[in-house]
Amino acid sequence: MFQVLVNGIIVGGIYALITIGFNLIYSAVRFYHLAYGAVGILGAYLTYQIQKFIFETQGGGLITGFLFGLLISSIVTGMLGILIWKFLYRPLRKNGASNVSMIVASFGLLIILQNLIGLIFGQSAKTIRLSEVTTQGYEFLSASITKNQILILIVTLVSVFVFELFLHRTKIGTAIRAVGQNSQLAAVVGVKTEKVIYITFFIASFLSVLASSLIALEISLKPTYGLMLILKVIVASIIGGIGSMRGALVGGLMLGVAENFGAYYFGSQWQDTVAFGLLVIFLLVRPQGLFKK
Amino acid sequence: MSLLQIKNISKSFDGLKALHNLSFNVNDGEIVGVIGPNGAGKSTLFNAIMNHINKDSGDIYFDGINITKKPTHQIAGMGIVRTFQDSQPLPQISVQENLDLAFKYQTDISLVSVFGRHKFLQEEQQVHFTKIKELLHEVGLGSKLNVQAQDLSYGQGKLLEMLKVIASDARLILLDEPFSGLFPEMIKLVTKLIYDLSASGKTILLVEHNMQLIEEICDRVIVMDAGQKIADGDFKTVTKQQNVIDSYLGK
Amino acid sequence: MDFIVQLAIYSAIASIAAVSLNYVVGFTGIMSISHASFYGIGAYGTALLLTKTGLSFVPALLLGVLITGLVAAFASVPILRLREDSLMLVSVGFALIIHSLMLNWQSLTNGPRGVKSIPRPEIFGISLTDKNFYLVLCLVLLVLTIIIFYKITKSPYGTVIKGIRENEEVMKNYGYNVSKYKHSVFVLGAIFAGLAGGLFASYIQYISPESFILLPSVFMLIMVILGGMGSIGGSIIGAILITVIPELMRFAGLPSSFAAESNQIVYGIILFALMYWRPQGLFGKYKI
C-alpha cells in the first residue's frame, strides 16, 4: 500500500509541476490556456528528438543528451509560448472575446498542436531512457522506487522550491504576483503588464516541458497526451483552487495519489474515472478549490 | 402590519460588515428612499431582500411571510420586483420580448404551452398590456417593439426597465438608482412613472444619490452608513441630524 | 450514388444532434460538452436493446431515447449547478466518465469489443435494410426534430429560455424558476441527441467506445458554433459541412494516414478563426 502512495506522489509531483505553470498563466491572463498541455508535450518530443540525435549520431551519453535536449526544448517551447500569447491570444482578447470564446479558441489550438505532433512524430509511443538498464531501483520501507522515480522526485522538489523562491524573492516574481492579483492596479504602479505576461508564458512553458519530459521518462510519450494532461491539470487546479500556486501543488499531489489508489482498488482502467469523479465532486462541493487565490 | 419588515439583518463579506443589525419597516403605499454614502450597503440591502445573498443573521418579512431563506424566484413571485444599478434590458432579445417576460402572469410557462394556442397574454392581461402599450408610446418606444434591446440608447433602456417594472404589477418595487445617467427629460418621465405606480397603490423602496429627487418623491427616508441605519424619518428632519451630516462629510 | 446516400444519412443524423445541441448551447446558453455522451448512450441503449432483447426497432429506439433522458435528468443535477467555465469542465468530466463506463463496464457494454450485428430497422413489417429507405427514415425524423425545436423557440417558452441565456439573475428576479427551465432544456436536448445516436447505431451496425470519446462532442460543438448560435438552419448547415469536409479532403487525394490528423487540424483552425472573426457563427444571432 505504501507503494501505491509512493507512486502516487511521484506522478502527483509531475502533475503539480505542470499545474503550477497552468495556474501561473491563469492568474496572469484570467482564462484557461487549454493548449498548454500540448505545448508541453511538444517540448517533450523535442527533448526526445534531441536526446536521440545526440546519443545516436554524436556519441553522447543518454543523460547528457537528455539534459541538452531539455535545455534547448525548454527555450524553444518558452518562445513558442510567448508567440502564442502575442499572435494568437492577445489579438483575440483585443477583439473583445469573452472567456468562453477564449476557451473555445484555446481548445482549437490544442487540437491543431496535438495533430501536428501526430503528423510530425507519428502515433507510436516514445520513451526517454536515462540508462541502458531501465528499471534498476531501490527498496525503501516496503516500497520499491526506481532510479528514474528518484530523479523525478528530486527534480520536482527542486523545481517547486526554486519556483517558490523566484515568485516570492525576486523582483520579477513579485511583479508576476502583482499582475496576478490585480493587473490594472499593477499597471498603475508601473509594472509592465505585457512584459510580465511574456515572462509568465515563458516560465510556464518551461515548467510544462520539464513535467512532460519527466512523463516521457516515467511513462511514455504519445500525441494524445496533450489533451489528457491538460484535463488532469484542470482537475488538479479545481481541487487546489484556480490561480493558487500552493493549490496547484496540493491539487496535483492529491490527484496523483487518488488516481493510484483508485487504480489499486478498482483496477487501472478506472484510473481516469477516479480523476474526473474527483473533479465533479469538487465542483459540486467546493468549486473554489482548497486554497484561495 | 408593514408590507416589508427588515429585522436585524447582518451580512459580512470576508470580515467586512456590509450590513450590520439593520432594521426598518416599509408600509403599504409608501415611497421610501434609501440614501447614504458610497459603500453604505444599499445595493447589498436589495440583494439581501431578494435572497440573492445569504444573510448571516436576521429575518425579512413580506406581507407577514418570512422570506429570509426563500429562493429568489419565489420571492419575486410573491410580488416584489427589483431593478439593478445601471439596469439595462436583456440585450439580444427584442423590446417586445423583454416586456413579455416581465408580465406577472407568465412565470410558469411550461413546455406544453408550445403546442397549445397559448399566447403570453390571456384576456385580463390584455387590458394590462394595452395600458403598457400606451405608456410605451408616451415614452417614445412605441415604434420600437421589434428592435433588439441592445440597440436602444442607455436612457431608452432604463425607460424600458421601468415599463417592465410596471408590467410586473408587483406590490413592492425596489429601485436601485433609477435616475443615474439620465438626461433631465428622461428624469421627468421616470419620476412621472414612479408617481403613477404609487398612485395605483404600489409600495416603492428607492435607492438614489440625487438628493433633490429624493426630497421631492419620497414620503420617508432611511439613511445608511457602513451597513447600519443611522436615521429614519422625513427628509427635512433627517438631513438636519448631526450623525447624518457627519457621515456624508466623512466624519 | 450509394456514397452520396451514405453521406446524406450521416449528415441527417449529425443535423439532429446539432440542432438539439444548438437548443441547449446556442439558444439557452448552457455550455455543455457532454452532448456526444448522450448521443453515445442513445446509441448503446438502442444497440443493446436490439441485440440482447427481442425488441424491434421502434420500441428499442424509443426505450433507448428514454434511457438517455433519464441519465440526462440525473446528470443535469450536478452539471447545471455551475456556470460557464465550470459547467464546461464538469460536462467534460461527465463525458469522460461515461466513456470510461462504456469501455470498462464490460458485462453491460462488451467493452472495447463493442456491440456487433446491430440490425437495421423493421417497421410495421417493412424491412428497412436498404440505404435509401434508411435515408428517408432519417429525413423524416430530422424534419420532426426541426419542427419541434422551431415551435419551441418561437413560443413563450422559447422567450423564457432566451431570457435565461441573456441573464439568469434578472430572470430569477422576475419570478422564473430558472433551474427548472434549464433542467428541462438540458434533458430535451439530450433526448434528441440520444435519438440521433440510436439512428447511428442501427445504420452503422457496429459501435464501440471509440466512436464516442471526447472529440465527437467537440465536433458537435463545432457544427453548432460554425453554423451559428441560436440558428436551427445554421446548425444543419454546420452539421453538413463538418460531415462532408473530411470526405472532400479524401477526394482531394490526401493519403489516409494523414487524413485523421489533417481533418482535426482543419477543425482546430475553424474553431480558432470563428472565435476571432465571427463568434456568432455563420448564421448565428447570438455571440458566445
Side-chain angles (χ1 to χ4, degrees), chain B residues 160-249:
Chain B
L160 179 55
E161 287 297 287
M162 276 306 296
L163 289 180
K164 283 162 76 176
V165 163
I166 299 172
S168 74
D169 211 24
R171 285 179 63 191
L172 174 63
I173 300 169
L174 310 175
L175 295 174
D176 201 339
E177 298 195 32
F179 298 105
S180 78
L182 292 182
F183 292 124
E185 317 91 60
M186 298 276 190
I187 291 183
K188 276 211 208 115
L189 274 170
V190 174
T191 311
K192 176 178 178 306
L193 291 173
I194 293 179
Y195 279 142
D196 285 346
L197 276 169
S198 181
S200 62
K202 308 298 182 194
T203 311
I204 300 173
L205 194 54
L206 170 65
V207 166
E208 183 49 58
H209 282 296
N210 187 324
M211 290 300 145
Q212 227 182 324
L213 290 166
I214 291 276
E215 181 173 11
E216 193 186 311
I217 301 176
C218 302
D219 302 323
R220 209 175 104 214
V221 152
I222 292 173
V223 187
M224 282 180 70
D225 189 11
Q228 295 180 281
K229 179 176 85 172
I230 62 176
D232 182 349
D234 74 82
F235 187 82
K236 282 214 158 47
T237 325
V238 148
T239 45
K240 289 212 183 75
Q241 281 179 229
Q242 193 55 45
N243 58 351
V244 172
I245 299 175
D246 285 344
S247 96
Y248 266 98
L249 291 179

Side-chain angles (χ1 to χ4, degrees), chain A residues 12-77:
Chain A
I14 298 180
Y15 284 156
L17 208 56
I18 193 168
T19 308
I20 289 177
F22 182 72
N23 275 358
L24 197 65
I25 292 185
Y26 182 83
S27 65
V29 298
R30 304 239 135 250
F31 66 85
Y32 294 105
H33 172 31
L34 291 184
Y36 185 62
V39 169
I41 295 288
L42 179 62
Y45 267 97
L46 269 173
T47 312
Y48 166 81
Q49 282 297 133
I50 295 175
Q51 184 206 39
K52 194 157 177 257
F53 175 69
I54 289 182
F55 182 66
E56 284 173 9
T57 61
Q58 302 297 330
L62 278 174
I63 297 185
T64 346
F66 178 65
L67 289 175
F68 205 60
L70 199 57
L71 182 67
I72 295 185
S73 67
S74 302
I75 296 176
V76 171
T77 320

